[in-house]
Amino acid sequence: MKVFRGGTVVDATGVRDADVAVEDGEIVSVGDASDDPDEEIDASGQFVAPGLVDAHVHLMMDGRADPGEVDSDSEATLAYRAAANLGDALDAGVTTVRDLGAPGSLALDAATAVERGVLEGPRVVACGENVVMTGGHGHWFGREADGVAEVKKAVREQLKRGADVVKCMATGGVLTEGALTGAPELDEAELEAVVDAANAKRVPTAAHAHGTAGIKNAVRAGISSVEHGTFMDREAAELMADRGTYWVPTAKALYGIVEAGTEAGIPEFAVRKAEAAKDAWAEAFDHALDAGVPIAMGTDAGTPFNHHGDIPEELELMVDHGLSEEAALEAATVNAADLLGLDGVGTVAEGTHADLVVLDADPLDDVTAWQSPARVVRRGTVVR
Ligand SMILES: [Zn+2]
């Protein structure tokens, strides 16, 4: 048994001074640990919190300016990159990631590799390949499908591979030259087919959606989470709150591009559009907070200048836009775990997985505390 002694436990259930005892990858007690443990770790003056859950990453991409470059990489190269990204995320205190799109079984295999201890990394939940209309957003690494029957088949192929979630494209990308807001792609009937087919295995569904019409299509179809949601208006926010649809805001995806700018080699039209999208996204955040949309943290890590090692910056961006520190913690722990369908993840409680971060400052006072964990614990092992 290993005991983190004398720290302050901070999770979505509250704040309390408590020792945390860990054995065989699980938390076995939270409170006074009087036993003589095998290993004692002094956490006095520190804060013991759950490891972060990122509901939206791309393990095969590493934040380079032009993600299209990875298209010509071999499968082995993509896999090595995924392994490196997993290491970076874990070092940053991220103990669960959800991959929302990679070619073939790349991310599903990463999940297996971590589970079997071949790779040290966060737990991986993965969708397999994105379901996308012919020629649609990200088609170069997605499974193209049109019409209800083809879409169902495409979803079932991912389920057969062992997908833990089904990801589809409800709109185009904001940054496609020519398109303004991310026009609808898979239509409402096709999105319903995604949900129907996924329900057979009871896995959640995620829809990439920027434009207002596409967001509403996805919510009405019963999709579990709207990814990005850039042009969410008040009506869409209310619809999401009503149906309990999660929003995964991916602030860092937008800020990565805006902050790097044209000097980093991003085309000017893309930076201009990202600026406009940023304003719409800030309004979407207000609508979401007003309506009470449930929020799960997700970064889209891997997209330009959005590195896996910087994932905890997402909490700061959400707080900058009006989310409380407490709600940011919930979004990045219990809410994301709930969206992913994971039990025993996201709190510091007896019987849950020992995925922890030890922080030097109280993350409820200072949200940037997440960005420099003193220790990271995965399955009970101190990995950093
Ligand atoms: Zn994405």
Side-chain angles (χ1 to χ4, degrees), residues 250-311:
T250 68
K252 275 189 54 53
L254 206 51
Y255 278 80
I257 292 169
V258 172
E259 282 169 7
T262 48
E263 58 270 35
I266 304 174
E268 201 201 318
F269 83 87
V271 176
R272 234 188 5 253
K273 279 187 172 174
E275 290 279 1
K278 198 183 84 170
D279 294 342
W281 184 90
E283 283 175 37
F285 216 104
D286 290 341
H287 293 315
L289 292 181
D290 288 349
V293 176
I295 295 176
M297 184 189 77
T299 58
D300 215 358
T303 57
F305 306 97
N306 179 11
H307 301 99
H308 292 77
D310 299 332
I311 286 169

Side-chain angles (χ1 to χ4, degrees), residues 82-342:
N85 288 334
L86 284 167
D88 289 351
L90 187 62
D91 273 350
V94 181
T95 52
T96 304
V97 296
R98 180 168 77 161
D99 186 281
L100 286 188
S105 61
L106 183 98
L108 294 160
D109 292 344
T112 306
V114 170
E115 173 126 15
R116 292 182 183 165
V118 175
L119 277 181
E120 191 173 75
R123 170 188 298 102
V124 177
V125 168
C127 73
E129 292 184 335
N130 294 337
V131 177
V132 50
M133 74 172 195
T134 297
H137 180 65
H139 66 87
W140 53 276
F141 64 96
R143 159 65 159 96
E144 293 178 314
D146 306 288
V148 166
E150 259 185 48
V151 164
K152 283 191 176 176
K153 188 171 179 66
V155 170
R156 288 168 183 157
E157 285 171 3
Q158 310 316 311
L159 298 175
K160 187 179 177 187
R161 284 180 164 142
D164 312 292
V165 52
V166 174
K167 159 84 179 298
C168 60
M169 300 298 188
T171 75
V174 159
L175 302 177
T176 314
E177 189 164 18
L180 190 64
T181 60
E185 292 201 344
L186 290 179
D187 64 26
E188 196 174 330
E190 290 167 322
L191 293 166
E192 274 174 17
V194 168
V195 173
D196 273 358
N199 274 345
K201 287 276 174 75
R202 296 208 166 76
V203 304
T205 51
H208 158 109
H210 286 291
T212 315
I215 294 169
K216 291 175 185 171
N217 286 344
V219 178
R220 282 192 300 258
I223 294 281
S224 316
S225 64
V226 167
E227 309 293 316
H228 317 303
T230 311
F231 292 85
M232 180 199 304
D233 63 7
R234 174 164 300 271
E235 191 184 40
E238 283 168 0
L239 200 58
M240 289 173 69
D242 216 42
R243 315 235 353 189
T245 311
Y246 273 105
W247 181 32
V248 179
T250 68
K252 275 189 54 53
L254 206 51
Y255 278 80
I257 292 169
V258 172
E259 282 169 7
T262 48
E263 58 270 35
I266 304 174
E268 201 201 318
F269 83 87
V271 176
R272 234 188 5 253
K273 279 187 172 174
E275 290 279 1
K278 198 183 84 170
D279 294 342
W281 184 90
E283 283 175 37
F285 216 104
D286 290 341
H287 293 315
L289 292 181
D290 288 349
V293 176
I295 295 176
M297 184 189 77
T299 58
D300 215 358
T303 57
F305 306 97
N306 179 11
H307 301 99
H308 292 77
D310 299 332
I311 286 169
E313 292 173 11
E314 182 79 14
L315 288 101
E316 183 185 2
L317 287 170
M318 291 193 292
V319 167
D320 284 350
H321 285 84
L323 201 65
S324 68
E325 283 84 355
E326 285 80 3
L329 162 70
E330 284 176 13
T333 58
V334 287
N335 286 8
D338 179 51
L339 171 60
L340 273 55
L342 298 173

